[in-house]
Structures are given as C-alpha cells and as structure tokens.
Amino acid sequence: RVMCAEAWIMPLERMARWVRPDEYNQTFNFGYMFAGWSRDVQIKTIEDSLSSFGNVGAPCTWVLSNHDVVRHTTRYGLADGGGHSNGVGPDSPQPDEAIGLLKARAATAFMLGLPGGVYLYQGEELGLPEHTTLEGQYRQDPTYNRTNGARIGRDGCRIPLPWEAGASASHGFSASGKAWLPMPEKFKMYARDVQEGVPGSTLELYKGLLGLRKSLGLGSGSFRWAAEHANEHSLAYLNKEVLVLANFGQEPVRVPTGELLMTTQSGGVEDGLQKDHIAWVRM
C-alpha cells in the first residue's frame, strides 16, 4: 500500500516535507505538471525535483494531468500553455489539437523514462483532449456557478471515456448513451476500439512505453544527463542502459547507435529525430 498526497504546495522544497520518512510515501509532483514542454524548463524542473525529493530520502514522482487541470494534450496546443484550473470554454481561444497531441505524446515518452513513480490520468492513454466547447447549461463544477461563469472550471477534463466509436451518444461509455457530462462528437476518433492494435496510435504508444518501463525496471533505475548525445536544441538522459532523447529544435537530431526500443516518430529515425519527438535507445 502507498499513501500519496495531493499537496498543492510550492516550491518543491516545501512539497518534499510531505514525504519525509514519517510522512506520506509519495506526493504528486505538481511542479513538473506545469513545467511546460521546453528544454530549459524541463532541465530545471527535473533537477529541482530529484534534488528536493532526494534530500528527504523519498522517490520522485512525475505527472502531466489530473482531474483539476486542463488536460496536457490541450494545454500544449494553446499559445499560452493553458493555465491551471480556469478551464477552456466555447468563448476561449481554442487549441491546435494536432500540435497539442504531438507535444503531449513527446512529453509522455520523455516522462516515462524517468526514475521514480509516474501517475497517469484516465483518458490520457487515448490522447484525449479537453472538452473545450461544453455549454454552460451542462457544467457541474461549483467553480463555474460560484463565479457566474467567469471561471470555466474543471468539467472539460472530467468527460467520460469513449470506448466504442459510434456505439452510442457516449461512444460506448453506456448503452443508453447517457453520461454525467455530454461527450463531444469528435471524441469518437479517440475511442479505445479505434486505437486498439493500431501501430502508432496513442493507446499503443502508452502500452509499449509502460511495458518497457516495467520490463527494464526504469522506475527503480538511475538518472544522469547525457550531454554527449544532445545539443543546445535537444535533451538526453540515461536511466540504466536506456538513453532517452528529445528534440525541441527545428533541425533533426542524430540518434546514436544502439537498439532502438521505441520512438514517437513514424517511419524510423535513420534521417534523424524530428522536432517534438522522442527516441529510447538501449546503449
């Protein structure tokens, strides 16, 4: 059994006090959740996280989404990064969903190579975005009502999961098609049955990454930056014998020789790793 704190406390040095030897076993790392997908911010947040939790003898944790914030697939598709819990509504600037999904897949693949505990939020394995056009009449978050709609709230990240595309109005969530919050029609493209067994789908990406993480023991592994395999526009680290390489720049990055375990990029990496893509290589 593990007791994990949902402690909205910053900076990380204060949060780490919750996981001292006589306190909780783990706490969600919200500092990492809001780090954003950029090279310099990733470096600082990872180093701060490992240092803060390591100083109290606790394992670090990593998380990108939960039930209180805009889903990271949508945050990464917004020009301003999406904020925390104000939500995204019909009158808000809308995300670029293709860019958001590309960056979200990269961020997930980068995170799942890190040592420590990883927490996933339901639906992210499908690449599910926020429901950003949910009408006010359906909203249930008290935040929306208390502020007369000034704060959109968290309903957009709490939509039920689509299981079978077109099976019902809720895409297989229930036979009647009913759910506590209505599902947008576009969610059918994210349904589990559409992605199951399809190479390159977000669901299969998650399954592959999690399988590798477990079989290679990366959760209980090690960490060091591997600057020798990166440049000023990319980032690489080693966990045990696995190199995780991310490209944040416009130009392709050479993937070092080794066994390519996985990549978010279709078509292989012979011509280099493209922007906002990840490769795992056994060195």
Side-chain angles (χ1 to χ4, degrees):
R1 296 181 179 179
V2 175
M3 186 164 62
C4 184
E6 188 177 4
W8 289 89
I9 296 171
M10 295 299 288
L12 284 168
E13 290 84 354
R14 285 191 62 205
M15 183 185 293
R17 297 176 189 173
W18 286 64
V19 288
R20 291 172 294 185
D22 61 339
E23 307 288 342
Y24 286 77
N25 301 110
Q26 294 185 348
T27 183
F28 295 124
N29 185 349
F30 295 126
Y32 188 76
M33 177 185 286
F34 298 120
W37 183 240
S38 71
R39 180 183 182 277
D40 292 343
V41 173
Q42 286 287 319
I43 292 173
K44 184 178 188 315
T45 308
I46 289 172
E47 290 181 350
D48 288 350
S49 298
L50 292 171
S51 174
S52 296
F53 289 102
N55 285 341
V56 296
C60 199
T61 63
W62 316 100
V63 61
L64 291 170
S65 286
N66 75 1
H67 60 188
D68 285 328
V69 302
V70 174
R71 287 181 176 273
H72 67 283
T73 300
T74 295
R75 294 200 313 268
Y76 294 155
L78 290 167
D80 64 355
H84 292 195
S85 58
N86 288 340
V88 181
D91 298 325
S92 308
Q94 295 298 301
D96 184 318
E97 292 191 355
I99 290 177
L101 182 58
L102 176 70
K103 291 182 178 181
R105 286 163 54 98
T108 294
F110 194 73
M111 175 185 72
L112 286 176
L114 292 167
V118 171
Y119 288 85
L120 305 179
Y121 180 50
Q122 56 92 16
E124 69 172 86
E125 75 281 5
L126 302 175
L128 208 63
E130 191 92 350
H131 186 351
T132 61
T133 57
L134 183 66
E135 296 177 16
Q137 62 180 313
Y138 300 114
R139 293 194 175 273
Q140 300 177 20
D141 189 339
T143 297
Y144 182 81
N145 294 318
R146 284 200 301 262
T147 63
N148 293 317
R151 296 187 64 181
I152 301 301
R154 301 161 290 186
D155 293 310
C157 70
R158 298 174 175 181
I159 307 298
L161 302 187
W163 289 89
E164 299 176 62
S168 64
S170 61
H171 301 299
F173 179 76
S174 68
S176 68
K178 295 180 179 179
W180 64 87
L181 288 168
M183 191 180 296
E185 179 64 18
K186 69 180 180 181
F187 268 28
K188 68 181 180 183
M189 72 177 70
Y190 299 98
R192 186 191 66 85
D193 71 324
V194 173
Q195 300 193 48
E196 186 79 44
V198 178
S201 71
T202 302
L203 177 60
E204 293 302 323
L205 175 67
Y206 268 75
K207 289 164 65 176
L209 287 166
L210 290 169
L212 285 169
R213 179 177 176 84
K214 181 178 181 179
S215 65
L216 298 172
L218 300 184
S220 57
S222 57
F223 178 89
R224 81 163 178 87
W225 293 117
E228 66 273 22
H229 296 297
N231 59 29
E232 65 272 22
H233 301 297
S234 61
L235 201 54
Y237 66 82
L238 275 165
N239 183 348
K240 294 186 172 180
E241 60 183 359
V242 178
L243 178 79
V244 177
L245 176 65
N247 184 10
F248 296 89
Q250 298 296 331
E251 297 299 320
V253 173
R254 188 185 73 83
V255 177
T257 302
E259 179 188 358
L260 181 65
L261 298 173
M262 65 73 54
T263 179
T264 58
Q265 180 171 300
S266 61
V269 296
E270 291 78 8
D271 295 326
L273 190 67
Q274 302 297 320
K275 177 179 171 60
D276 294 325
H277 280 289
I278 308 295
W280 285 19
V281 181
R282 194 199 306 264
M283 303 299 287

CSV table of all heavy atoms in Angstrom, one decimal, residues 32 70 78 109-110 251:
chain,number,residue,atom,x,y,z
A,32,TYR,N,6.3,19.6,-11.7
A,32,TYR,CA,6.6,19.0,-13.0
A,32,TYR,C,5.4,19.1,-13.9
A,32,TYR,O,5.5,19.3,-15.1
A,32,TYR,CB,7.0,17.5,-12.9
A,32,TYR,CG,7.5,16.9,-14.2
A,32,TYR,CD1,8.7,17.3,-14.7
A,32,TYR,CD2,6.7,16.1,-14.9
A,32,TYR,CE1,9.2,16.7,-15.9
A,32,TYR,CE2,7.1,15.6,-16.1
A,32,TYR,CZ,8.4,15.9,-16.6
A,32,TYR,OH,8.8,15.4,-17.8
A,70,VAL,N,-6.5,21.6,-16.9
A,70,VAL,CA,-6.7,21.4,-18.3
A,70,VAL,C,-5.8,20.2,-18.8
A,70,VAL,O,-4.6,20.2,-18.4
A,70,VAL,CB,-6.4,22.6,-19.1
A,70,VAL,CG1,-6.5,22.4,-20.6
A,70,VAL,CG2,-7.4,23.8,-18.7
A,78,LEU,N,-2.3,25.2,-26.8
A,78,LEU,CA,-2.7,26.6,-26.6
A,78,LEU,C,-1.5,27.5,-26.6
A,78,LEU,O,-0.4,27.1,-26.1
A,78,LEU,CB,-3.4,26.8,-25.3
A,78,LEU,CG,-4.8,26.1,-25.2
A,78,LEU,CD1,-5.3,26.1,-23.7
A,78,LEU,CD2,-5.8,26.9,-26.0
A,109,ALA,N,6.4,10.3,-23.4
A,109,ALA,CA,7.5,9.4,-23.7
A,109,ALA,C,8.8,9.9,-22.9
A,109,ALA,O,9.6,9.0,-22.5
A,109,ALA,CB,7.8,9.3,-25.2
A,110,PHE,N,8.9,11.2,-22.8
A,110,PHE,CA,10.1,11.7,-22.1
A,110,PHE,C,9.9,11.4,-20.6
A,110,PHE,O,10.9,11.0,-19.9
A,110,PHE,CB,10.2,13.2,-22.3
A,110,PHE,CG,11.5,13.8,-21.9
A,110,PHE,CD1,12.7,13.6,-22.6
A,110,PHE,CD2,11.6,14.6,-20.8
A,110,PHE,CE1,13.9,14.1,-22.2
A,110,PHE,CE2,12.8,15.2,-20.4
A,110,PHE,CZ,13.9,14.9,-21.1
A,251,GLU,N,15.8,21.5,-36.4
A,251,GLU,CA,16.6,20.6,-37.2
A,251,GLU,C,16.6,19.2,-36.6
A,251,GLU,O,16.6,19.0,-35.4
A,251,GLU,CB,18.0,21.1,-37.3
A,251,GLU,CG,18.1,22.5,-38.0
A,251,GLU,CD,17.7,22.4,-39.4
A,251,GLU,OE1,17.9,21.4,-40.1
A,251,GLU,OE2,17.0,23.4,-39.9
